[in-house]
Coordinates of all heavy atoms in Angstrom, one line a residue:
K183 N 68.6 158.8 58.4 CA 69.0 160.1 59.0 C 68.0 160.4 60.1 O 67.4 161.5 60.2 CB 68.9 161.2 57.9 CG 69.9 160.9 56.8 CD 69.8 161.9 55.7 CE 70.7 161.6 54.5 NZ 70.2 160.3 53.8
L184 N 67.7 159.4 61.0 CA 66.8 159.7 62.1 C 67.4 160.7 63.0 O 68.6 160.8 63.2 CB 66.5 158.4 62.8 CG 65.9 157.3 62.0 CD1 65.5 156.1 63.0 CD2 64.6 157.7 61.3
E185 N 66.5 161.4 63.7 CA 67.0 162.4 64.7 C 67.7 161.7 65.8 O 68.8 162.1 66.3 CB 65.8 163.2 65.2 CG 66.3 164.4 66.0 CD 65.2 165.3 66.5 OE1 64.1 165.2 65.9 OE2 65.4 166.1 67.4
H186 N 67.2 160.6 66.3 CA 67.8 159.7 67.3 C 68.1 158.4 66.7 O 67.3 157.5 66.8 CB 66.9 159.6 68.5 CG 66.6 160.9 69.2 ND1 65.4 161.5 69.0 CD2 67.3 161.7 70.0 CE1 65.4 162.7 69.6 NE2 66.6 162.8 70.2
P187 N 69.3 158.3 66.0 CA 69.6 157.0 65.2 C 69.7 155.8 66.2 O 70.1 156.0 67.4 CB 71.0 157.3 64.6 CG 71.4 158.6 65.1 CD 70.4 159.3 65.9
L188 N 69.4 154.7 65.6 CA 69.5 153.4 66.4 C 71.0 153.0 66.6 O 71.3 152.3 67.5 CB 68.7 152.3 65.7 CG 67.2 152.5 65.7 CD1 66.5 151.4 64.9 CD2 66.7 152.5 67.2
A189 N 71.9 153.4 65.7 CA 73.3 153.1 65.8 C 74.1 154.2 65.3 O 73.6 155.0 64.4 CB 73.6 151.8 65.1
G190 N 75.3 154.4 65.8 CA 76.2 155.4 65.3 C 76.7 155.1 63.8 O 76.6 153.9 63.4
P191 N 77.2 156.0 63.1 CA 77.5 155.8 61.7 C 78.5 154.7 61.4 O 78.5 154.0 60.4 CB 78.0 157.2 61.2 CG 78.2 158.1 62.4 CD 77.4 157.4 63.5
S192 N 79.5 154.6 62.4 CA 80.5 153.6 62.1 C 80.3 152.3 62.9 O 81.1 151.4 62.8 CB 81.9 154.2 62.5 OG 81.8 154.6 63.9
Q193 N 79.2 152.2 63.5 CA 78.9 151.1 64.4 C 78.6 149.9 63.5 O 77.8 150.0 62.6 CB 77.8 151.4 65.3 CG 77.6 150.3 66.4 CD 76.5 150.8 67.4 OE1 76.2 152.0 67.5 NE2 75.8 149.8 67.9
R194 N 79.2 148.7 63.8 CA 78.8 147.5 63.1 C 77.6 146.9 63.7 O 77.5 146.7 65.0 CB 80.0 146.5 63.2 CG 80.6 146.0 61.9 CD 81.8 145.2 62.1 NE 81.5 143.9 62.6 CZ 81.1 142.9 61.8 NH1 81.0 143.1 60.5 NH2 80.8 141.7 62.3
V195 N 76.6 146.6 62.9 CA 75.4 146.0 63.5 C 75.2 144.6 62.9 O 75.0 144.4 61.7 CB 74.2 146.9 63.1 CG1 72.9 146.3 63.6 CG2 74.3 148.3 63.6
T196 N 75.3 143.6 63.7 CA 75.1 142.2 63.2 C 73.9 141.5 63.9 O 73.4 140.6 63.3 CB 76.4 141.4 63.5 OG1 76.6 141.5 64.9 CG2 77.6 141.8 62.8
C197 N 73.6 142.0 65.1 CA 72.3 141.4 65.6 C 71.5 142.4 66.3 O 71.9 143.6 66.5 CB 72.7 140.3 66.7 SG 73.7 140.9 68.0
L198 N 70.2 142.1 66.5 CA 69.3 143.1 67.0 C 69.7 143.7 68.3 O 69.4 144.9 68.5 CB 67.9 142.5 67.1 CG 67.2 142.2 65.8 CD1 65.8 141.5 66.1 CD2 67.0 143.5 65.0
S199 N 70.4 143.0 69.1 CA 70.8 143.6 70.4 C 71.8 144.7 70.3 O 72.1 145.5 71.2 CB 71.3 142.5 71.4 OG 72.4 141.9 70.8
D200 N 72.4 144.8 69.1 CA 73.3 146.0 68.8 C 72.5 147.3 68.7 O 73.1 148.4 68.9 CB 74.1 145.8 67.5 CG 75.1 144.7 67.6 OD1 75.5 144.4 68.7 OD2 75.4 144.1 66.5

Side-chain angles (χ1 to χ4, degrees):
K183 299 175 190 65
L184 300 184
E185 193 176 341
H186 300 100
L188 290 175
S192 55
Q193 192 178 330
R194 238 172 75 78
V195 178
T196 54
C197 58
L198 287 180
S199 58
D200 291 337

